[in-house]
Amino acid sequence: MDERIEEESTEKVPLNFLERIIEDDLANGRVPDNTIVTRFPPEPNGYLHIGHIKSICLNFGLAQKYQGRCHLRFDDTNPEKEDMEYINSIKSDIRWLGFDWGKYEYHASDYYQQLYEIAVRLIQEGKAYVDSLSAEQLKEYRGTLTEPGKNSPDRDRSIEENLRLFEEMHQGKHPEGSYILRAKIDMASPNLNLRDPALYRIKFASHPRTGDTWCIYPMYDFTHPISDAIENITHSICTLEFEDHRPAYDWATDIDGIEHAPHQYEFARLNINYLVMSKRRLLNLVKLGIVDGWDDPRMPTISGIRRRGYSPESMKDFISRIGVAKVESVVDYSLMEFCVREDLNKRATRLMVVLDPLKLVIDNYPDDKVEYFEATDNPEDPSSKTHQIPFTKELYIEREDFMEDPPKKYHRLYPGNEVRLKYAYYITATSVVKDADGNVVEVHCTYDPESRGGAAPDGRKVKGTSHWVSATEGVTIEARLYDKLFQTEYPGKATGNYLDDLNPDSLKIVTDAKAEPEILNAKVGDYLQFVRNGYFCVDGKVSTKEKLIFNRTATLKDSWAKLKEKMGV
RNA sequence: UGGGAUGUAGUGUAAUGGUAACACAGUAGAUUCUGGUUCUGCCUUUAGGGGUUCGAAUCCCUUCAUCCCAGCCA
């Protein structure tokens, strides 16, 4: 026991740069009460996507790891874009991932009064002023990346005048766009965020939470750092594009009365190839009707992947595997697929479902006989339960599992070849029935009664095993076969328009798949594997008892498909 | 032509002055009542150039490349 502990403590667990910072701060007594406090600060103006999962796992994960806490704070400072609908979806998405913010739920709008008072104080201290420049003039005065800006004529307005005007803005006496409150920092700063950034703007918009109480709303650069300070956030983690805002963050938290100013740290946001992640582009897909909605199983939104059948565990594993750093990076989609397959392989219930049915008739099997075979729910689980599958003379097999004229290395069913029907019998194909166009519509075979259970007493082996469903005892279901929404690694890279790279085959609907009766027990949230076809789940939105609809979460790896391609078949 | 940041296998992440590694992808094989799983092998790496040092991915100088910033968005 002691040895083990020693072993563990000497074992070097690689830390990411954020963990290093936190451990260093903790070790050097820089953290009040030795309690780190992080926050996840979504703006409620859209649905959470996979990129947010990284931020959620980071903020909640770090808090968990160091026995601190993580606040959920809605960054609701722009009433024109935000909505209660989003607030609710965000909460349910975070819960789905398995994180709990407990009582620490906040809204930046809770701080509007405090923010207002701080703004007044800044004016009194000569650190902020009311500017009447128009948006266009503001732009002119700001300068460019290479040229410094110039001071607004209003910059030297008296404190009394500023106070009066700001109060009038507050009271709604001035129209939108007529005035803004600006920080007085440095119009010549090489960092544009420091060229007297806007602190407050006038908006006669109703806020989802504060209603019409306010007609002036604080800006991000002012609200965010102060909200962090109010909540005693110790480590404020955000994405790389805010790096340039850090001086503004420090400016805002450098006000009297803040004992332990929070600090901002930036990490690289998550990018995944074959996916688009920006809210704008996702919204567009929804608006144009290219997808079924924000929760379309092809969408990289949390609600989308959830409906697709991804498990929260697999996504958390994915996030832990990609790591955290400051380098802009693009993660392979295949890693995410690997993670979901690995997780689902361990937990999915196996079912036999034929997606593209081909009739198979066993000529030497009794006409009306029904016998049952026992199938393991999950062979990966030693304590797995079993269920019964009915077997009859007429069955369906996968059309792909029979070829009249097979290529080399094809070891499924073809005339004269013997294969196994999983759990049941060895069969040998004898003849085919074709339609007028020459398509095979029925395969006839004979079975070996001695091979009952799927093995021959004489020890002879077969190379192929097919799944099957009884033609008379099976049930019909709908299967929705999803693939990547985009067919290029970087959608839009070639033409500039990401819609040019949509995958025309991102959804194939199979309305007459045949399934073993056990499928009737499948519930929303169950993880299933249709043997040899992939991982599936019950569609939580449209599936009904009368019409069962399943979504394909991911295919199984298919080395035969690769081989076929290589052989040029 | 301003400022900020970043460069390690195809991709992502370790190694924090002491033998460049792990995972995914790729590839070859073994096992298998899922052409799945599992197992084994292989492939490929410090952006370039200089310097410090017994020793550099790591420190210094320099060049190059990429990303972000000119909302009254966050």
Side-chain angles (χ1 to χ4, degrees):
Chain A
M1 191 67 175
D2 285 344
E3 267 174 44
R4 253 196 72 196
I5 289 171
E6 204 174 314
E7 222 173 84
E8 277 175 9
S9 63
T10 52
E11 194 187 327
K12 271 196 223 156
V13 182
L15 300 177
N16 64 48
F17 79 101
L18 293 170
E19 293 168 330
R20 244 171 241 153
I21 289 167
I22 289 172
E23 293 198 3
D24 189 59
D25 286 347
L26 248 16
N28 291 290
R30 284 193 288 264
V31 183
D33 302 325
N34 257 22
T35 304
I36 75 145
V37 187
T38 58
R39 101 269 91 112
F40 175 61
E43 184 189 9
N45 70 344
Y47 282 72
L48 258 28
H49 55 66
I50 300 177
H52 293 110
I53 299 182
K54 183 174 180 182
S55 177
I56 293 169
C57 289
L58 234 41
N59 280 298
F60 281 95
L62 251 14
Q64 241 162 41
K65 176 166 182 177
Y66 296 103
Q67 286 110 49
R69 61 175 193 268
C70 179
H71 296 186
L72 169 61
R73 183 173 70 234
F74 292 97
D75 226 339
D76 54 352
T77 56
N78 189 348
E80 287 168 354
K81 295 185 177 179
E82 296 150 8
D83 200 282
M84 282 307 277
E85 175 200 350
Y86 298 125
I87 292 185
N88 295 329
S89 77
I90 287 167
K91 287 194 211 172
S92 96
D93 286 347
I94 299 172
R95 285 204 192 93
W96 177 74
L97 277 170
F99 292 112
D100 182 16
W101 53 93
K103 60 180 177 179
Y104 303 106
E105 179 178 329
Y106 304 95
H107 301 257
S109 51
D110 296 339
Y111 310 133
Y112 281 174
Q113 183 58 35
Q114 285 174 81
L115 256 358
Y116 177 76
E117 285 161 18
I118 291 169
V120 168
R121 204 161 86 219
L122 284 172
I123 295 172
Q124 286 166 340
E125 289 169 1
K127 291 179 181 166
Y129 62 99
V130 175
D131 201 339
S132 61
L133 250 31
S134 69
E136 206 171 292
Q137 289 170 312
L138 227 34
K139 198 174 174 181
E140 275 173 43
Y141 276 75
R142 187 155 31 232
T144 67
L145 291 177
T146 52
E147 300 157 31
K150 50 187 185 194
N151 289 351
S152 164
D154 290 349
R155 202 172 198 260
D156 295 318
R157 206 194 286 282
S158 73
I159 290 175
E160 292 67 33
E161 183 78 355
N162 281 324
L163 250 15
R164 182 180 63 79
L165 284 170
F166 188 50
E167 177 56 22
E168 285 174 9
M169 284 165 64
H170 180 201
Q171 287 170 357
K173 291 186 177 165
H174 298 288
E176 285 187 16
S178 57
Y179 290 106
I180 57 168
L181 182 72
R182 299 178 77 181
K184 192 187 280 188
I185 306 181
D186 178 10
M187 287 308 290
S189 172
N191 181 343
L192 303 237
N193 297 304
L194 259 26
R195 316 244 260 231
D196 290 8
L199 262 25
Y200 268 91
R201 75 287 215 193
I202 300 169
K203 273 183 198 287
F204 289 97
S206 188
H207 186 280
R209 299 190 80 249
T210 61
D212 297 319
T213 311
W214 296 87
C215 64
I216 53 171
Y217 291 94
M219 301 286 292
Y220 171 87
D221 273 339
F222 183 56
T223 313
H224 200 86
I226 291 173
S227 302
D228 281 350
I230 290 170
E231 292 175 25
N232 294 312
I233 300 298
T234 57
H235 299 262
S236 183
I237 301 165
C238 63
T239 44
L240 250 29
E241 69 269 26
F242 290 101
E243 224 152 13
D244 284 346
H245 292 251
R246 196 184 332 131
Y249 185 98
D250 291 339
W251 178 87
T253 50
D254 184 28
I255 51 179
D256 295 344
I258 296 180
E259 249 181 82
H260 293 276
H263 287 280
Q264 173 184 303
Y265 303 93
E266 308 86 12
F267 69 94
R269 63 151 22 96
L270 171 59
N271 298 295
I272 303 177
N273 55 12
Y274 296 100
L275 250 42
V276 300
M277 214 84 97
S278 85
K279 275 180 193 170
R280 201 198 91 246
R281 295 205 275 184
L282 294 177
L283 179 64
N284 217 232
L285 291 170
V286 175
K287 276 189 176 166
L288 293 174
I290 291 165
V291 295
D292 186 26
W294 286 98
D295 61 352
D296 184 289
R298 291 164 296 182
M299 289 284 272
T301 50
I302 297 184
S303 49
I305 60 170
R306 179 180 185 173
R307 190 169 159 206
R308 177 79 171 257
Y310 274 69
S311 63
E313 291 78 11
S314 67
M315 288 311 294
K316 287 198 270 194
D317 178 46
F318 171 65
I319 296 301
S320 77
R321 281 169 187 267
I322 59 174
V324 199
K326 295 195 68 149
V327 206
E328 296 245 24
S329 56
V330 182
V331 174
D332 271 339
Y333 186 91
S334 63
L335 180 62
M336 197 168 72
E337 281 206 306
F338 168 82
C339 290
V340 73
R341 285 189 186 119
E342 187 182 57
D343 186 43
L344 263 31
N345 177 49
K346 281 183 289 196
R347 64 202 295 180
T349 296
R350 270 64 169 175
L351 254 24
M352 293 209 284
V353 177
V354 174
L355 296 176
D356 187 9
L358 173 65
K359 178 76 73 70
L360 178 77
V361 181
I362 308 170
D363 291 330
N364 60 338
Y365 194 84
D367 284 354
D368 298 320
K369 183 172 177 182
V370 180
E371 66 181 313
Y372 289 84
F373 291 104
E374 185 175 61
T376 312
D377 286 357
N378 182 355
E380 300 296 316
D381 174 8
S383 63
S384 172
K385 288 185 226 156
T386 61
H387 64 269
Q388 301 292 314
I389 309 176
F391 183 90
T392 53
K393 179 187 181 81
E394 295 200 351
L395 306 167
Y396 290 112
I397 60 168
E398 212 69 63
R399 191 166 293 275
E400 265 202 333
D401 285 347
F402 175 82
M403 280 184 97
E404 200 178 9
D405 190 17
K408 268 187 187 156
K409 295 191 181 175
Y410 183 87
H411 42 249
R412 276 117 95 145
L413 195 62
Y414 52 87
N417 191 41
E418 183 174 53
V419 299
R420 170 171 38 235
L421 292 177
K422 193 173 172 70
Y423 297 122
Y425 294 106
Y426 282 10
I427 57 160
T428 304
T430 50
S431 63
V432 300
V433 177
K434 294 183 183 179
D435 65 12
D437 300 324
N439 300 310
V440 176
V441 291
E442 203 172 287
V443 176
H444 284 253
C445 66
T446 57
Y447 83 115
D448 174 7
E450 294 291 307
S451 64
R452 188 172 199 286
D458 63 6
R460 75 181 189 279
K461 301 271 189 198
V462 289
K463 281 195 153 179
T465 299
S466 284
H467 58 283
W468 49 270
V469 169
S470 162
T472 44
E473 304 290 311
V475 299
T476 299
I477 59 137
E478 177 172 320
R480 298 186 173 180
L481 310 181
Y482 292 103
D483 199 351
K484 297 188 183 85
L485 230 201
F486 295 95
Q487 53 190 348
T488 58
E489 249 190 282
Y490 306 103
K493 195 184 181 186
T495 65
N497 181 1
Y498 70 111
L499 297 176
D500 291 339
D501 292 330
L502 281 166
N503 174 10
D505 300 320
S506 64
L507 170 59
K508 281 185 205 156
I509 298 184
V510 175
T511 53
D512 60 342
K514 304 295 180 186
E516 55 166 301
E518 177 69 17
I519 202 162
L520 267 9
N521 295 324
K523 302 182 302 293
V524 174
D526 286 351
Y527 299 106
L528 308 172
Q529 184 195 105
F530 292 178
V531 176
R532 302 209 303 140
N533 271 321
Y535 295 102
F536 285 78
C537 67
V538 177
D539 188 298
K541 201 176 183 181
V542 295
S543 184
T544 61
K545 272 211 172 97
E546 293 69 38
K547 189 181 182 188
L548 287 168
I549 299 177
F550 295 83
N551 294 328
R552 183 171 69 194
T553 309
T555 58
L556 258 25
K557 277 215 265 182
D558 192 349
S559 54
W560 166 241
K562 262 185 201 170
L563 225 196
K564 268 199 303 193
E565 204 177 321
K566 232 170 59 179
M567 297 192 306
V569 179

